[in-house]
Amino acid sequence: MSELEVREAITRAHREEWARVVAALTRRFGDLDIAEEAAAEAFATAVARWPTDGVPANPGAWLTTTATRKAIDRLRRENKRDHKQQEAQMLHDDAPPEPLGAIDDERLRLIFTCCHPALAMDTRVALTLRMVGGLTVPEIARAFLVQEATMGQRITRAKAKIKAARIPYRVPSAEDLPVRVSGVLAVLFLVFNEGYLATGPDTDPVRHDLTAEAIRLTRLIRTLMPQDGETTGLLALMLLIEARRTARVSPTGELVTLDEQDRGAWDAALVAEGHRLVRERLAAGVAPGRYQLLAAINAVHTSARDIRDTDWSQIVALYDQLVRLDPSPIIALNRAVAIAELDGPEVALAAVDRLEDRLAGYHAYHATRADLLRRLGSSQRSREAYDQAIELAGNSAEIAYLTRRRDQLG
Amino acid sequence: MQYLFSVIDDGAGLATPTEEADIDAFNDRLRAEGHWVFAAGLGSPDSATVIDNRRGEAVVTDGPFVESKEYLAGFWIIEAADLDQALKLAAEGSKACNRKVEVRPFL
């Protein structure tokens, strides 16, 4: 096996097996710290040994065995084994085996522990990326533009709270499951959005590492809980957005809006998979939740060969359903964008203006107004709105786009 | 595993008779289900006195250690298997006493 092949095998094992190894060790030793450190050591050992010893037949089992030995060595070395194991009662697990199969069940336990509602949202995101996604602390810190030490402390504090407050290591009971899954999905959507609309002047406008990680983890949840409609909906939504990723930023780093995108550059395989998942949810005949509706809206967009073929009345109808579920001003703003296509910019502008007191600090509100005013021929007011949008926008591709549109005004 | 439920009052004062009745019912349930350890209401912050004897001479100060709009009005100490169970009980406790409840684990 060539050096390159071994390196690829290690990368693949890290992607596919990290969560499994951490979950198996957490189950055995009842301690997230020990599990994480031992898993990291096992992967370091693989990097050192596989190039000479060869890649084992079952990398996951090799890594779990190696990590288990590392953990036991560490506990012996620290001569605190009994003490640690007493302490380990915090992550006890009292639940009978779930019908999902032991291994998948363990990864699911890990995800639910990292996304526990008693942890702050940004902590849940960081902990999930570390414990389930296997990202390093510097990687996570970079992704969220905070100091490495800050991110390290956040993760350490979270693990300490899990231990001290005895956050259980288990999949929630059936009655709590829907609520807790929605928290997990919110974490994954946050990771995806941060990747999709990365903020900061020095970051890439699209962080493919984050969008890919969010999709991978959502796929994992879907494998573990195929019946959960919102999980399928979120996966479909992410795939349909991800499909347009390369068409969305121009070679010069400027945002390309939906109406100007080269539809031939969309990833046809991702579009097809997203559509299949949306159809699967439609066939289920269950009232769709927020992610399923957003996915359906994106399915309509990606079904049109041309912006002019877009079925705007269906999009507005889907937004109407969405507004009933989620009456947030941001949904209302997006609905107004669709209304502009169906009923004209004047009607849309009236709807957008009604959102001012709630969205005045949000760049997309001003960007939408700017575009509608431009279409209505109000150059001066449009320019002012562009100025405000540029001031508030954080994504470099968006700023480039808004600046050009403003400068094009007569 | 024991948890402290701190009842946080923000000016409502003493519990109303309805709240009292709901708290009694909740306490009965805690006892019946084996969660009960101890519970009590506390005098208002006006009745507090702070003593500092770290330097060999006890200094007595009238009033609570921190003045704030929100204050500790009472507490439960309960026994629960884990945080999920504690949070469920705290949600019911909050409803019964009609106040916010902070949950903290004992070490």
Side-chain angles (χ1 to χ4, degrees):
Chain A
M1 201 178 269
S2 75
E3 202 180 310
L4 181 68
E5 283 170 320
V6 173
R7 219 168 38 228
E8 278 171 1
I10 292 171
T11 308
R12 195 173 335 113
H14 191 266
R15 209 167 45 230
E16 291 169 2
E17 306 293 347
W18 170 271
R20 244 190 267 263
V21 176
V22 172
L25 268 79
T26 305
R27 179 71 174 269
R28 168 141 185 194
F29 297 98
D31 186 305
L32 289 175
D33 263 328
I34 291 171
E36 185 208 320
E37 281 167 18
E41 279 185 67
F43 278 95
T45 309
V47 171
R49 296 254 305 269
W50 290 7
T52 44
D53 296 2
V55 176
N58 184 342
W62 188 96
L63 288 161
T64 306
T65 308
T66 307
T68 305
R69 273 196 214 117
K70 298 276 179 199
I72 291 170
D73 285 351
R74 176 173 291 251
L75 291 172
R76 277 207 192 109
R77 212 165 42 237
E78 291 173 0
N79 199 18
K80 288 196 247 178
R81 193 170 175 189
D82 293 338
H83 175 61
K84 280 276 181 192
Q85 285 193 337
Q86 275 166 7
E87 240 181 51
Q89 53 175 323
M90 57 105 198
L91 281 176
H92 73 131
D93 94 83
D94 53 357
E98 306 276 330
L100 291 157
I103 291 172
D104 284 347
D105 178 38
E106 281 176 21
R107 278 185 298 174
L108 205 51
R109 280 165 202 250
L110 187 60
I111 291 171
F112 277 106
T113 305
C114 294
C115 294
H116 196 277
L119 301 170
M121 197 48 149
D122 52 1
T123 304
R124 287 186 229 171
V125 172
L127 201 59
T128 303
L129 287 174
R130 177 72 198 120
M131 304 305 291
V132 186
L135 270 66
T136 63
V137 172
E139 280 170 343
I140 302 167
R142 231 178 6 256
F144 291 92
L145 303 171
V146 298
Q147 296 288 322
E148 204 176 306
T150 308
M151 189 51 82
Q153 278 165 10
R154 195 180 288 171
I155 291 172
T156 304
R157 264 204 310 272
K159 287 192 288 198
K161 179 166 183 183
I162 288 169
K163 187 182 283 198
R166 209 170 181 182
I167 287 178
Y169 187 56
R170 81 156 85 92
V171 178
S173 61
E175 60 172 312
D176 296 331
L177 199 57
V179 178
R180 292 286 306 278
V181 173
S182 75
V184 172
L185 299 181
V187 166
L188 297 177
F189 198 33
L190 250 158
V191 173
F192 184 86
N193 277 330
E194 182 51 34
Y196 198 65
L197 261 184
T199 45
D202 301 322
T203 23
D204 286 338
V206 181
R207 297 284 316 273
H208 177 54
D209 51 346
L210 287 180
T211 58
E213 188 57 26
I215 289 172
R216 194 175 73 81
L217 294 177
T218 309
R219 272 193 202 284
L220 174 61
I221 303 276
R222 178 172 145 78
T223 317
L224 303 171
M225 307 177 61
Q227 303 307 320
D228 187 75
E230 280 293 85
T231 303
T232 301
L234 180 60
L235 179 59
L237 173 62
M238 288 178 178
L239 294 174
L240 292 171
I241 297 175
E242 180 76 356
R244 308 195 297 253
R245 179 170 57 86
T246 48
R248 197 168 152 276
V249 179
S250 76
T252 55
E254 188 181 301
L255 180 80
V256 183
T257 51
L258 192 59
D259 53 322
E260 291 178 335
Q261 281 174 20
D262 171 11
R263 292 176 183 232
W266 290 353
D267 186 321
L270 291 183
V271 170
E273 190 187 353
H275 284 187
R276 187 171 57 68
L277 295 175
V278 169
R279 279 197 303 274
E280 180 188 311
R281 289 315 307 160
L282 283 174
V286 184
R290 179 166 169 260
Y291 297 125
Q292 291 166 76
L293 287 169
L294 285 168
I297 289 166
N298 277 275
V300 177
H301 279 305
T302 45
S303 298
R305 262 171 306 166
D306 191 277
I307 186 81
R308 282 163 308 203
D309 293 339
T310 307
D311 185 349
W312 291 106
S313 62
Q314 204 184 343
I315 289 179
V316 170
L318 287 164
Y319 270 118
D320 287 343
Q321 280 193 65
L322 196 53
V323 167
R324 281 196 291 275
L325 276 185
D326 176 6
S328 82
I330 292 176
I331 297 288
L333 179 70
N334 291 328
R335 182 180 173 277
V337 173
I339 288 284
E341 303 304 324
L342 198 65
D343 299 331
E346 206 161 349
V347 181
L349 185 63
V352 170
D353 281 343
R354 280 197 294 274
L355 302 169
E356 186 185 357
D357 44 343
R358 286 186 294 167
L359 289 183
Y362 180 49
H363 76 277
Y365 163 79
H366 298 285
T368 306
R369 277 192 82 238
D371 185 58
L372 295 170
L373 288 164
R374 178 187 60 76
R375 284 154 76 176
L376 289 166
S378 300
S379 297
Q380 184 50 38
R381 290 173 65 208
S382 174
R383 183 174 292 111
E384 287 163 13
Y386 275 121
D387 283 339
Q388 275 174 299
I390 291 161
E391 205 180 298
L392 292 165
N395 181 270
S396 58
E398 245 181 325
I399 292 169
Y401 165 78
L402 292 167
T403 307
R404 179 173 62 83
R405 293 312 289 251
R406 180 195 61 193
D407 296 345
Q408 277 172 349
L409 285 169
Chain B
M1 181 85 185
Q2 293 188 341
Y3 293 88
L4 172 68
F5 290 2
S6 302
V7 175
I8 301 156
D9 204 318
D10 52 11
L14 291 174
T16 65
T18 322
E19 286 163 4
E20 290 277 14
D22 289 347
I23 293 167
D24 286 345
F26 177 62
N27 287 342
D28 288 344
R29 215 204 100 188
L30 289 178
R31 287 191 189 92
E33 292 176 9
H35 297 298
W36 172 270
V37 180
F38 188 73
L42 295 173
S44 76
D46 297 347
S47 65
T49 310
V50 173
I51 288 271
D52 185 353
N53 193 17
R54 290 172 299 179
R55 292 193 180 82
E57 189 187 351
V59 179
V60 178
T61 318
D62 177 30
F65 76 99
V66 60
E67 294 279 0
S68 73
K69 196 170 152 287
E70 294 186 319
Y71 61 89
L72 187 66
F75 61 89
W76 278 280
I77 297 168
I78 63 107
E79 182 73 45
D82 54 43
L83 185 66
D84 280 354
Q85 195 178 44
L87 293 178
K88 275 211 175 101
L89 292 170
E92 287 174 38
S94 165
K95 193 173 180 184
C97 70
N98 193 30
R99 280 162 181 79
K100 288 198 284 187
V101 170
E102 182 200 70
V103 177
R104 280 170 75 181
F106 276 75
L107 289 175

